[in-house]
């Protein structure tokens, strides 16, 4: 059989599908990237080496202190909206502010806030941009001993969190599956202090005093990892 | 490798006649693919993960009356602006004190081991407790001690008076990160006896003399 000589053509590869593939990949990663919720205030926490990579507590009452010393409060308790609404109820009851249903719904998704409790209805009625302006034009949540609002907020949240925690613990014991210490530590509500690394220590100290005045002595300081 | 399609090759060789060359409109996609993958690789490699960590801390309940005098082995760190740290050991004696020499503040830094930094100072002061803690750790490995027993015995080592007590005093100019750095250091050295108290006016004056400026008032 005679050798069939293949005519030598010039091979060329159509690259269009490759581009499709590349953009598909980019789109995939863009859609599956999970975004943190938009923070009310961005804080760069100081570095610490003494803690191994420990995940953030889930049942957290977060007190944020920015670099000018303003204090913000947020509560992300287990159980989501229920406990969060109860915190608002406690605030309304003790500070006698007026919130209608619309503002209540706003509260559920508002994250952290940094204004005096008296101004909370006004804060909730604004949009994100104006809220930020309101936060930045004020002095944060008062933490001095005459107006220990941050202490009260933390206390309400802690009470609600601890009550739910006790219920869960008892429920687990009732069904003969008691929670071990590790799990208990994970689901217990904790007060977390997230302060900017340049925050004046005096502001942090005042917040801590505000909390110890309300008999809260255990805190978790949020830091970032430092390469040793 | 893909080659550039030469669409204009057909028009060549027609002599000097001016003729509008029919150019092929095919665009080579190879550089586009290179670009897309380069971008992808860049973002995958440079995405940093914001590792937030949590440092547990328990502040002591406020003392009932005036703070108790420091135990025998105490170091007081005074934190002030510009990340400066001063310290003195044991009790504070004012400049007018007659029986004891007045306290002098010494500046100190976070130098690594062997360079007379804070770590060396604290290791020196906590030597006895360190030895006991190392023995306890060895025992734990050997006998597979229960966690609760280990914690109890660790606490009893730390509560004995020869474990160092660290007193942290920060003035109005100190930054949060200064205190966190110090507490971080203490946790690394496993020193658990520390308190955070206000500065006395005498100490503030001494600090002012040491740094050369008046410290801001602490609320």
């Amino acid at each position: 059989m005679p050798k069939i000589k293949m005519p030598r053509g010039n091979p060329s590869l159509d690259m269009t599908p490759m581009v499709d593939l590349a953009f598909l990949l980019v789109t995939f990663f863009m859609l599956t990237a999970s975004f943190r919720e938009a923070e009310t205030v961005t804080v760069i926490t100081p570095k610490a080496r003494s803690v191994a990579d420990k995940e953030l507590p889930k049942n957290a009452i977060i007190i944020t202190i920015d670099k000018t010393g303003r204090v913000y409060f947020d509560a992300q308790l287990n159980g989501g909206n229920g406990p969060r609404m109860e915190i608002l109820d406690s605030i309304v009851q003790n500070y006698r502010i007026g919130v209608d249903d619309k503002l209540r719904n706003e509260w559920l998704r508002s994250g952290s806030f940094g204004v005096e409790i008296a101004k909370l209805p006004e804060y909730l009625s604004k949009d994100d941009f104006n809220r930020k302006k309101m936060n930045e034009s004020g002095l944060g949540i008062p933490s001095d001993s005459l107006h220990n609002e941050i202490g009260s907020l933390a206390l309400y949240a802690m009470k609600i969190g601890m009550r739910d925690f006790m219920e869960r613990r008892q429920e687990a014991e009732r069904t003969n599956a008691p929670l071990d210490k590790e799990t208990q530590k994970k689901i217990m509500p904790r007060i977390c202090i997230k302060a900017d690394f340049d925050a004046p220590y005096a502001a942090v100290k005042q917040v801590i005093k505000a909390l110890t005045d309300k008999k809260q002595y255990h805190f978790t300081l949020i830091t970032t990892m430092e390469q040793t | 490798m893909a080659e550039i399609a030469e669409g204009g090759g057909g028009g060549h060789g027609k002599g000097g006649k001016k003729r509008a060359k029919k150019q092929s409109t095919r665009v080579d996609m190879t550089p586009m693919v290179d670009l897309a993958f380069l971008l992808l690789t860049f973002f995958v490699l440079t995405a940093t993960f914001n590792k937030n960590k949590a440092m547990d801390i328990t502040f002591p309940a406020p003392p009932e009356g005036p703070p108790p005098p420091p135990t025998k082995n105490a170091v007081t760190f005074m934190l002030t602006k510009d990340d400066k740290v001063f310290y003195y050991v044991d009790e504070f004696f004012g400049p007018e004190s007659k029986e004891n020499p007045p306290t002098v503040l010494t500046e100190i830094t976070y130098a690594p081991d062997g360079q007379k930094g804070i770590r060396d100072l604290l290791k020196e002061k906590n030597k006895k407790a360190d030895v006991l803690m190392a023995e306890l750790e060895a025992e734990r490995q050997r006998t597979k001690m229960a966690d609760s027993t280990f914690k109890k015995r660790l606490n009893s080592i730390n509560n004995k008076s020869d474990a160092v007590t660290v007193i942290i005093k920060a003035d109005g100019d100190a930054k949060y990160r200064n205190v966190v750095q110090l507490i971080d250091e203490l946790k690394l050295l496993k020193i658990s006896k520390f308190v955070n108290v206000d500065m006395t006016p005498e100490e503030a004056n001494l600090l002012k003399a040491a740094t050369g400026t008046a410290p801001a008032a602490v609320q």
Side-chain angles (χ1 to χ4, degrees), chain A residues 173-192:
Chain A
E173 279 173 18
R174 256 207 304 272
T175 60
N176 270 341
L179 304 167
D180 58 1
K181 283 229 159 176
E182 274 298 312
T183 326
Q184 279 192 41
K185 250 190 126 175
K186 268 198 203 158
I187 63 173
M188 209 163 72
R190 298 194 73 95
I191 299 180
C192 302

Side-chain angles (χ1 to χ4, degrees), chain A residues 35-45 56 62 64 72 74 76 110-113 123 128 131-132 135-136 194 222, chain B residues 50 52:
Chain A
F35 293 99
R36 288 180 310 199
E37 61 176 48
E39 294 175 337
T40 316
V41 53
T42 313
V43 156
I44 304 174
T45 46
L56 286 182
I62 304 174
T64 312
Y72 300 75
D74 190 11
Q76 307 286 344
S110 65
S112 88
F113 73 94
Y123 178 85
D128 282 337
R131 278 184 197 174
K132 206 166 170 170
N135 278 334
E136 280 166 13
K194 186 173 156 188
I222 310 247
Chain B
N50 196 7
N52 268 330

